[in-house]
Structure formats: C-alpha cells, structure tokens
Amino acid sequence: MSCKTLIYGLLFVSVLAAPGTTAQTRFITVASTTSTEQSGLFKHILPIFQKKTGIEVRVVALGTGQSLDMGKRGDADVVFVHARSLEEKFIAEGYGVKRFPVMYNDFVLIGPRRDPARIAGGKDTLQALRKIKAAGAPFVSRGDRSGTHNAELALWKQAGIDIAKEKGPWYRDTGQGMGPALNTASAMNGYILADRGTWISFRNRGDLEILVEGDQRLFNQYGVILVNPAKHKHVKKDLGQAFIDWIVSAEGQKAIAGYKIGGEQLFFPNANDTGA
Amino acid sequence: MLPLLLEKVSFAVNGRTIIDRISVEIAAGPRTIILGPNGAGKSVLMRLCHGLLKPTAGVIAWRGPTNGGLRQAMVFQRPVMLRRSVLANVVYGMGLAGIAPRERELRARDVLEAVGLSHLAERPARMLSGGEQQRVALARAWALNPEVLFLDEPTANLDPGATRDIESIVAQMHASGTKIIMTTHNLGQARRLGDEILFLHQGRLAERAPMERFFRQPESSEAASFIREEIP
Amino acid sequence: MSEITQALGAAGAMIFSFDRKLIEIVLLSLCVSLTAVVIASVIGLPLGAAIAVNRFTGRRALIVVLNALMGLPPVVVGLVVYLLLSRAGPLGELGILFTPSAMVVAQTILILPIVAALSRQVVEDTWQEYQEQLRSLGAGPVTSAMTLLRDARFSLVTIVLAGFGRAAAEVGAVMIVGGNIDGVTRVMTTAIALETSKGDLPLALGLGIILLALVLALNATAYWVKEAAQRRYG
C-alpha cells in the first residue's frame, strides 16, 4: 500500500463526511435541560412527533440557564426548561413569545443510607434541609443556574436559611449537571436534591437512596416557549409552533405520560392546568 | 558571464573581518584553485563569488555576456541528497534551470553514465556512499551545463579512491569547457588539478600565480611557509 | 476492577452486535476529525514551511506564539467558536452551529497550530541542511518550501497523526459547538462524557476502549506505511 493510496483514502473518507447543513430535512433546535434528556423522555416522545409531522427535533441539552441564554442568542427555536420565574423573565424581556405549561415531575431529596442528619421518611423538605445544615452533613449543590439549582436555592430560602451566607464546608457547590453531581454525591456519601427522572436512570448509586419525597414543594414544573421571531428572524416559527402545539395536545401529553422506567411514570402532563 | 571581477570585496560578521579587501579578476580558461590554510576564508570567498553571501563592502560582478542566464553551479564539501532516487536528484536541478521536461531524463542518464553511476540511477540517493553521493552532486551540476563550476573542498571527506574519481570527473568537465574554481587545502590536489593558484591568508589575497611558478618560487612569505607545511 | 471487566464486556457487546448507534457515532467522530486534520494540514504544512524558509520582522515572535497556541485548551476554542457562530455572533448567518461543520471548524482551529508549529520545526531543521544547495541550484523560497515538505514527508506524517490524535481525543470544543445532539453531533468523546454523567460508567469506559483501539489502529497503519516507504526512498 503506497502513500498515495493512504492519502486518497483519507481524502475520500473526509469528503464522505460532507458535514454540512442538511437544509433538506425539516428540523428545529430545542434547547432543553440535562434532566429531560438524560431521563430518556425525549428518546421516547420525539420519534412519535417526528413520525406524525416529519419534523426532526434536535435537542441541545444544557442547563436551564444556558438554554435560556441560547434562546436569547437565537441559537434555538424552542426553549423547554423548568424554572418558571426565569421563563417569565425571558418572556418579559421579549425573547420568548408565550409560555405553555407542559408537565411536571418531582424532585427527591437523596442521601446516604446511614443518614447522619436523620431525615429519612420525612415529608417536610424544609425541616430536612435545616437538619442537614445543623448536622453539617455533606450536601452537593449543582451550582449551575439550572432549574434544579434554582429550586434548591428557593427551598433553602423557604427554610429560612440564607445559604450564600450560612454555608460551610459541608456545602459542596460543584457547578455540574445532574448526573455528574450525583456521581459526586455518591462518591462522598452526601445529600443532594435531584429530579426523579435522572435518579431513576442513574446507575452509580453507591449507598444513596431517596430519603424525602412527595412534598408539594418538590414539584417541578416544565414550560415550553417559542423563541421570539421578532428578535431573531431566522427562527423556525411554524415548525417550532407545531412542536409546541403537539406537546400540549392530548396526543403529546399522552406520550409524556406513557414514558415509564421500570413501570414507574416520571413526568406528569399538566398542560391543561392554567395555574402551572 | 566570465570574467568575474571582485573589487575591494570585504566580508565581516559581528565585527570580525573574514575577507579583507580582495580585488581580483577571474577569467575563463585556466582551472583556478583557491589555496590556503584553515580559516583563511576560502569557503567564504567561494560563497561570495557564487552569490550565496553578499559582501559587506566592495563589488562582485560578472563582466562577460550572459547567454541564457547566469549558469553556474556549486558542489559542496558535504553533498546534499534529496530523499529521492539518484536520477530524480539529477533531474531536480534541471527543472529549476528551466530545461525542458522531455530533455531532463535523457540528459540525466547521460551525465550519470559519464560519472559511472548508471547502475545506481534508481537507488535512493541517500543510501549511497559518500564518494558516490559526491559523484551524484557533480552529475547534477554537470547536467546544467554550467559555464562556471565552484567546488568547495569536494574531497575533504573522501578516501583516496573516491578522491581520484572526483578529480577525474572534474578534469572531464574542464575538458568539455566548464571553468573550474575550486578550494582545497591539500597541496597535492592543488598540484594535480590547478592551472593557477589564488593563495589566501587571513582573508587577504596574499599571492596569485600560475601553478608551476607558485610552487617553485612563491613570492609571499606566507605562501612559502604554507608550502613548507609549516602552517596547517 | 470489576468496572473495567464490565467495561470490556460492554465494549465487546457493542462491537460484535454492530450496534447501529455506535457505528454512527464512530463514523461521525472519524469524519469530523479526519476532515479537520486534512484542512489543518493543507493550511498548516505550507504555513510552517513558509515560516521556516523566510526571514521577516516579527518572525521569532510569531514562532513563539505558534508554539504557545499548541496548548490551546479545547474548551476555550469551543467557547470562542460558539460565540462566533452563534446567531447573535458575527458568523451567525452561516447557520452551522450545532452541526458537524461547526465541529470541524473548531477542531481545525485546535489542530492548526500543532501542525504549523511542528512542521516549521521539522522543515527548519531540514532547511539548515539543504539551504545552500537549494539556493545554489536557484530555488526560491516557494520551491524550497515545497521541496523541504516533500523531503521531510515521513516526519510530517507523524505530525499529522499527532494532530488527528488531538482532535479525536478532545471533548471540550465539540461539546460546546456541536451540542452533543443525538444522531447529529454526538461523537465518541461527547458520548463518553454523556454516559459518564448518567452514571453508566461501564458503558462510558467501553466507548473509551473503542476510541483508543481506533486511534491505535490508525497510528499502526500509518507507521507501517511510513516504514515501507522509508525502505523504498531512504
């Protein structure tokens, strides 16, 4: 085999790549959160949508903060996150058209089986958090402006703790996604607030288990927003709106409810709940 | 192209003078040997004449008519072979000289025959012995049909057998009309190959004479010392 | 230790079942990195040679900068390219963000300094040896650069391979500009990152083993070709 053959071979393979914009396929870019993608929900519902409409949905899964930022820059057509106050701010600032509630899942408070803070089985998240702080038990925070992170901060506030001021070495601000944060919690046998979806599909549990769940305060609402075409002319508003229309429709909602892991439903559709 | 005229040529580097106000006219015809001890500046003078270096003072000019461009070639003490076959090395030089593609291979084979390397034409040039590589370098130069051939101590690194081969080729090239300008510090070689001697000492042209006279009756004391092999 | 055994098992299972997703990811990884390496070489090799044979003001500063750029952190390159290609950025009109094209762009930028700086070094070393002879024969800077590149070709192959290795191994740049979109911009390294973050470590490790095997195979092939050619051309 000569040098020339190798070079031609390389050129051939790289031309094959012809990586480029597939202008032919109809697709939209949806900025969403790591929890929605990693839970496997999209893998389940998007093929149903594509089969019905022929529209491919490309999900860029980052954190809530980054997803909203993508929406502001116009790098996504639709934003699908779970941080209501941030979403409403997004719309108020003119980056989004309208917010539609889609579904909710819940958070769970996870910790080591040993449970040094003695919170297992409780129904009051705020009490649990106070106990964790009092015990100085390690607590892993996502620290990444994600929906989960925002929910965690809100809970500390509700518990009457100014976490920014009152945190000690027991509070580990990692700046990571849900999966990596769970890895960290597992490695250090710490407490962590996680969304049920990611937890169920998380494989590296170590000694961790769910200690507190079912508290109303732990419910986590998702909303979907079309990026404002007035701010970004190229936004695929028709295709994007088609996605939004579908996901709040009976069919889309049914698809969401149909997604189960180990027989357990992760996300609860509530597009009809106008207060959500 | 010839004659080559040097007028008060000097070359200095970092304040050190290597060539000191040399004036000389080199005409066509006789084989010119630049002789001198180590450090006399022979190699630098060659490079100045060939055009690889620019003098820091003085003028170097080719005074003769140039038919078909400046045709000069140089063979160095260490031959530089490209990573290709012997034939390709010879052809390479012709490409740069603007010789027609059809002619190149033919001429290359001719000169390789003349230097006795036809049987090695397809061999990778870098695999040849030092003497063989130097013959390729000569062939490469010869293929250009140069008016002037500069040689800088071409046999300094070669054994006597290879040296004889090189000297024989140089003689052939001279016979076919090329002006030879060569440096050496080897007295025997100067005697064998030279028609006229330019003797350099510490950057200055100490003496210029026909070969016979130079060795019989050197005029300068430095030349005399050198011939008596008192200066290395 | 059991995780590594599991990983080998996972890797084996994936390979022998010709898992379609896996093949997709592997092909995309190869295509993106190979394309980037080809472009970076087409630009970088002549650039390195040109810097080697020419003398100009600021040359030494340029060499220092080029050498320093070899250590560009991939995630920084990714971020900068993202800002350039974002709709809100200057090149947003191209619309190539979150496509393999953006990944090729980022990786090309990453590898280019490596190819240019190393080829400059190699060519300059050869230039020292060849300079007088080439100039004597009448070769100008352009011809000399081309001749040197050709003569140094075996060393240059190693450099190109080093560039490919760097591209195939990085995750920071392609993650940011590609978005790790399933079926579109997911490559081996981002897939490994994803599986790790999902806590599926054996799978992540399995993918890692496959990636290593691929890079190893490519290097081995190139080495044998080089050996064979060197025997022919000295």
Side-chain angles (χ1 to χ4, degrees):
Chain A
M1 193 192 2
S2 72
C3 265
K4 277 211 179 102
T5 325
L6 184 67
I7 295 176
Y8 287 147
L10 274 175
L11 284 170
F12 179 63
V13 174
S14 55
V15 162
L16 265 193
T21 37
T22 37
Q24 283 74 23
T25 26
R26 312 194 307 153
F27 70 91
I28 54 169
T29 307
V30 172
S32 187
T33 63
T34 46
S35 45
T36 12
E37 205 205 21
Q38 287 182 8
S39 63
L41 174 71
F42 285 136
K43 253 209 187 96
H44 175 80
I45 66 172
L46 294 183
I48 302 176
F49 174 69
Q50 182 162 10
K51 195 145 167 241
K52 174 159 189 210
T53 60
I55 303 174
E56 183 192 336
V57 177
R58 296 190 182 172
V59 176
V60 182
L62 314 157
T64 297
Q66 207 174 342
S67 297
L68 289 171
D69 186 63
M70 256 180 79
K72 287 185 191 166
R73 311 177 134 269
D75 288 329
D77 303 304
V78 171
V79 170
F80 188 172
V81 296
H82 55 109
R84 183 165 178 177
S85 52
L86 295 179
E87 292 165 41
E88 286 172 346
K89 185 158 172 268
F90 184 74
I91 294 183
E93 290 174 350
Y95 294 111
V97 176
K98 181 165 180 246
R99 174 184 176 273
F100 293 90
V102 178
M103 65 200 188
Y104 68 90
N105 69 348
D106 62 331
F107 291 116
V108 288
L109 193 51
I110 297 185
R113 204 162 295 134
R114 271 188 325 113
D115 192 16
R118 311 243 155 280
I119 63 170
K123 283 268 176 248
D124 187 339
T125 320
L126 305 182
Q127 188 65 343
L129 288 180
R130 291 187 205 108
K131 283 193 189 166
I132 291 174
K133 175 171 177 289
F139 181 90
V140 176
S141 167
R142 280 189 56 179
D144 62 346
R145 280 201 309 147
S146 59
T148 311
H149 185 223
N150 279 321
E152 179 217 315
L153 294 177
L155 286 168
W156 286 113
K157 196 156 172 222
Q158 282 179 53
I161 300 172
D162 185 349
I163 194 65
K165 288 211 180 83
E166 300 180 49
K167 64 184 175 195
W170 54 272
Y171 185 81
R172 312 290 165 85
D173 201 334
T174 59
Q176 288 176 336
M178 195 71 253
L182 279 167
N183 274 330
T184 309
S186 171
M188 62 172 60
N189 266 340
Y191 292 89
I192 184 170
L193 185 74
D195 62 283
R196 190 185 293 274
T198 310
W199 171 252
I200 291 186
S201 42
F202 185 69
R203 308 275 187 95
N204 189 24
R205 295 184 182 182
D207 274 339
L208 300 179
E209 53 184 36
I210 299 178
L211 300 179
V212 178
E213 59 183 322
D215 185 349
Q216 265 276 18
R217 302 182 193 94
L218 293 176
F219 282 14
N220 178 32
Q221 177 69 42
Y222 284 78
V224 67
I225 305 173
L226 178 69
V227 172
N228 191 358
K231 280 245 176 182
H232 298 281
K233 280 189 292 312
H234 61 270
V235 164
K236 298 177 185 162
K237 61 179 200 291
D238 296 323
L239 300 182
Q241 191 61 48
F243 176 69
I244 294 177
D245 291 338
W246 179 82
I247 206 165
V248 303
S249 73
E251 193 186 307
Q253 299 274 288
K254 188 161 156 237
I256 293 173
Y259 181 57
K260 297 185 166 55
I261 298 186
E264 211 178 319
Q265 184 178 346
L266 288 183
F267 298 93
F268 299 86
N270 67 344
N272 294 321
D273 186 351
T274 42
Chain B
M1 282 175 43
L2 290 162
L4 174 63
L5 184 63
L6 277 73
E7 260 184 82
K8 295 211 185 62
V9 170
S10 291
F11 185 77
V13 167
N14 291 337
R16 245 186 69 222
T17 306
I18 303 184
I19 298 291
D20 191 4
R21 284 163 295 163
I22 292 188
S23 295
V24 68
E25 179 173 317
I26 302 179
R31 291 169 296 186
T32 304
I33 300 267
I34 303 178
L35 193 61
N38 285 328
K42 306 188 296 293
S43 292
V44 173
L45 183 61
M46 287 283 274
R47 282 160 171 77
L48 285 165
C49 292
H50 186 39
L52 288 177
L53 292 173
K54 292 230 169 338
T56 46
V59 179
I60 301 182
W62 296 91
R63 283 314 177 89
T66 37
N67 37 359
L70 231 56
R71 278 173 21 251
Q72 35 162 335
M74 181 155 174
V75 167
F76 299 85
Q77 187 171 337
R78 269 179 227 284
V80 173
M81 295 289 112
L82 300 177
R83 266 200 182 83
R84 331 181 167 184
S85 67
V86 165
L87 187 69
N89 267 276
V90 178
V91 167
Y92 177 80
M94 285 192 271
L96 289 170
I99 296 174
R102 278 160 290 136
E103 256 198 75
R104 290 179 208 163
E105 191 175 323
L106 221 58
R107 257 214 236 188
R109 292 199 186 271
D110 281 344
V111 292
L112 282 175
E113 170 105 34
V115 304
L117 288 178
S118 295
H119 60 292
L120 294 178
E122 311 299 337
R123 193 74 69 84
R126 291 197 152 213
M127 291 197 181
L128 269 52
S129 70
E132 289 166 340
Q133 287 191 1
Q134 198 62 298
R135 278 195 270 164
V136 175
L138 274 169
R140 186 166 55 193
W142 202 349
L144 303 175
N145 199 10
E147 195 180 320
V148 181
L149 177 64
F150 292 95
L151 299 111
D152 186 16
E153 310 237 20
T155 59
N157 296 349
L158 304 180
D159 63 56
T163 302
R164 268 199 305 275
D165 291 333
I166 299 299
E167 290 181 0
S168 151
I169 298 172
V170 171
Q172 285 179 62
M173 288 181 74
H174 172 69
S176 65
T178 304
K179 162 83 177 181
I180 304 290
I181 304 178
M182 191 170 107
T183 63
T184 187
H185 64 264
N186 182 317
L187 296 175
Q189 188 169 70
R191 277 202 168 94
R192 284 194 297 273
L193 297 185
D195 291 325
E196 69 165 351
I197 307 287
L198 272 83
F199 181 71
L200 242 57
H201 184 69
Q202 290 178 356
R204 314 190 96 235
L205 182 58
E207 186 167 340
R208 181 189 194 169
M211 193 269 288
E212 283 290 340
R213 205 201 18 87
F214 179 81
F215 282 103
R216 247 184 316 107
Q217 265 178 328
E219 276 173 11
S220 60
S221 58
E222 298 96 337
S225 301
F226 183 68
I227 295 169
R228 282 200 301 275
E229 288 174 56
E230 277 159 23
I231 325 174
Chain C
M1 201 55 214
S2 71
E3 269 170 340
I4 299 191
T5 337
Q6 273 183 288
L8 286 168
M14 274 190 291
I15 299 173
F16 292 114
S17 66
F18 295 111
D19 182 75
R20 229 201 86 222
K21 273 270 147 156
L22 177 69
I23 294 177
E24 221 173 71
I25 292 178
V26 168
L27 279 182
L28 185 62
S29 302
L30 286 177
C31 285
V32 166
S33 295
L34 281 175
T35 309
V37 120
V38 165
I39 301 176
S41 299
V42 163
I43 303 175
L45 292 175
L47 179 62
I51 299 177
V53 307
N54 284 296
R55 293 292 174 272
F56 48 88
T57 28
R59 178 176 180 270
R60 273 194 266 175
L62 180 59
I63 292 176
V64 169
V65 167
L66 210 54
N67 285 342
L69 288 177
M70 283 202 282
L72 267 180
V75 72
V76 171
V77 174
L79 181 59
V80 171
V81 174
Y82 173 78
L83 291 174
L84 287 173
L85 296 178
S86 162
R87 288 285 177 175
L91 300 176
E93 291 301 304
L94 295 172
I96 58 173
L97 190 62
F98 303 134
T99 66
S101 301
M103 297 157 80
V104 170
V105 167
Q107 289 202 337
T108 305
I109 295 176
L110 200 59
I111 320 175
L112 183 58
I114 298 177
V115 174
L118 293 180
S119 63
R120 181 210 60 88
Q121 185 65 64
V122 164
V123 168
E124 196 163 316
D125 290 341
T126 320
W127 181 229
Q128 305 287 31
E129 198 195 328
Y130 287 25
Q131 192 182 164
E132 283 191 323
Q133 182 67 77
L134 288 180
R135 284 175 56 210
S136 166
L137 289 171
V142 175
T143 316
S144 296
M146 292 199 293
T147 306
L148 290 168
L149 281 176
R150 208 182 131 178
D151 255 50
R153 57 192 179 276
F154 301 122
S155 307
L156 296 179
V157 164
T158 310
I159 294 176
V160 169
L161 279 177
F164 174 77
R166 181 88 147 102
E170 72 87 19
V171 67
V174 290
M175 183 70 96
I176 299 185
V177 306
N180 197 14
I181 302 175
D182 191 16
V184 181
T185 56
R186 187 160 296 170
V187 291
M188 297 225 68
T189 47
T190 55
I192 293 171
L194 178 63
E195 295 307 323
T196 308
S197 74
K198 278 161 77 173
D200 196 344
L201 303 182
L203 183 58
L205 212 48
L207 286 170
I209 290 172
I210 296 177
L211 179 58
L212 282 174
L214 273 169
V215 175
L216 197 65
L218 191 73
N219 272 276
T221 315
Y223 185 77
W224 284 324
V225 169
K226 184 177 133 180
E227 285 280 281
Q230 240 171 335
R231 260 180 275 123
R232 272 185 62 195
Y233 295 106

